[in-house]
Amino acid sequence: MTTPSTTVAAEHGVHTGLALRAVTLSYPDGESRLTALDRVSLEVGPGEFTAVAGPSGSGKSSLLAVAATLLRPDSGQVLIDGQDAGALGDRARTALRRAKLGIVFQQSNLLASLTALEQLLVLADVRGERVREARARAAELLDSVGLSGGKQQRRPHQLSGGERQRVNIARALFGRPSVLLVDEPTSALDHERGARIVELLGEVTRTHRTATVMVTHDRALLDRADRVLLMRDGRLSEPT
Ligand code: ADP
Ligand code: MG
């Protein structure tokens, strides 16, 4: 669903949230190159939850890596709140990523020795936020994703797969991102738990007004998204 403000902004050529314009990405493949993304265009506005479904190897993680400004495309543009990431040098791009993007990677990269609360607080140190404020905000965020009191003091191995995924989502939101990128959030979960994680992503998208892109190979979870797109052989299309 497109919000009115997005429509107005689009008319003036400035798009808040995430925009990809004709993005092509290839990887070296022996003597030639393998095209992982083939002229992919996509716009996701604030508060919009877009799901991208496609089989393994279709380019979903590549799409997120480019949107996350972690990989530079061969051609095309990546705009974050209207800022062209390709026009920035490495330092400015890293700063843009920190300021604007929340990323939940497919491989949970929680630190084994830290509690759920501390997973968020290590980011506060990096950002120079006051400890007491950061602590209160981290606790509130964890609460909002369904991890209350005692669970916040647990380390990753003391949490279930679904709970770890909730920590990952809270951590991605901690930097107040405009754009939230989520790679296969349910791949390690059973259907019921996976469905609840996708539901949560819909909720946080509305609460935090993030432009959210979730990629998944699991077609069963798509009905909760505002919009579904299909990825096949590096090309993005509307479902028919
Ligand atoms: P998905 O996430 O949908 O499984 P990927 O984006 O991981 O798809 O991969 C898309 C294609 O690009 C696949 O053919 C994959 O083998 C290839 N690929 C992905 N990453 C690399 C890489 N770092 N180097 C070379 N080929 C890659
Ligand atoms: Mg992938």
Side-chain angles (χ1 to χ4, degrees):
M1 214 171 71
T2 311
T3 60
S5 64
T6 310
T7 309
V8 172
E11 281 166 10
H12 293 88
V14 178
H15 185 268
T16 50
L18 172 70
L20 304 189
R21 305 244 162 95
V23 164
T24 293
L25 174 77
S26 66
Y27 297 109
D29 184 38
E31 301 281 276
S32 65
R33 298 187 71 85
L34 182 147
T35 303
L37 298 174
D38 186 5
R39 290 160 289 162
V40 168
S41 295
L42 170 69
E43 290 198 358
V44 185
E48 185 184 8
F49 182 23
T50 292
V52 175
S56 176
S58 60
K60 304 183 300 296
S61 293
S62 300
L63 174 76
L64 290 191
V66 166
T69 76
L70 293 166
L71 284 182
R72 274 184 196 274
D74 303 6
S75 59
Q77 283 185 313
V78 176
L79 298 127
I80 313 288
D81 278 350
Q83 268 215 66
D84 182 355
L88 304 174
D90 286 349
R91 290 183 84 173
R93 216 169 66 243
T94 302
L96 176 72
R97 193 183 310 130
R98 288 224 176 103
K100 299 280 190 185
L101 298 176
I103 308 169
V104 179
F105 292 103
Q106 187 166 4
Q107 305 286 75
S108 167
N109 50 359
L110 297 174
L111 298 161
S113 62
L114 299 186
T115 66
L117 192 73
E118 288 164 349
Q119 308 282 346
L120 277 64
L121 291 176
V122 285
L123 302 179
D125 280 345
V126 171
R127 290 165 202 276
E129 185 173 356
R130 295 244 294 281
V131 174
R132 189 186 298 178
E133 285 165 24
R135 189 167 269 278
R137 204 160 64 77
E140 201 177 307
L141 254 181
L142 286 165
D143 249 328
S144 77
V145 299
L147 294 172
S148 52
K151 297 249 165 97
Q152 298 183 7
Q153 301 306 325
R154 295 193 188 172
R155 294 177 215 291
H157 73 275
Q158 300 166 313
L159 295 166
S160 71
E163 289 166 344
R164 281 197 292 274
Q165 204 50 292
R166 286 166 194 273
V167 178
N168 283 320
I169 293 165
R171 185 175 60 170
L173 291 168
F174 191 65
R176 301 188 176 92
S178 310
V179 176
L180 181 62
L181 304 170
V182 188
D183 199 352
E184 306 265 10
T186 64
S187 55
L189 306 176
D190 62 37
H191 181 79
E192 177 64 32
R193 288 195 176 85
R196 276 193 259 130
I197 291 294
V198 176
E199 208 166 286
L200 173 66
L201 287 168
E203 281 167 31
V204 303
T205 298
R206 277 171 272 284
T207 309
H208 298 270
R209 302 281 304 152
T210 50
T212 303
V213 180
M214 173 188 77
V215 306
T216 180
H217 68 272
D218 188 354
R219 306 276 306 250
L221 297 166
L222 300 176
D223 53 340
R224 284 167 175 86
D226 298 323
R227 181 165 57 140
V228 176
L229 298 168
L230 302 180
M231 189 92 185
R232 185 160 203 102
D233 296 333
R235 307 195 75 158
L236 203 56
S237 62
E238 306 272 346
T240 48

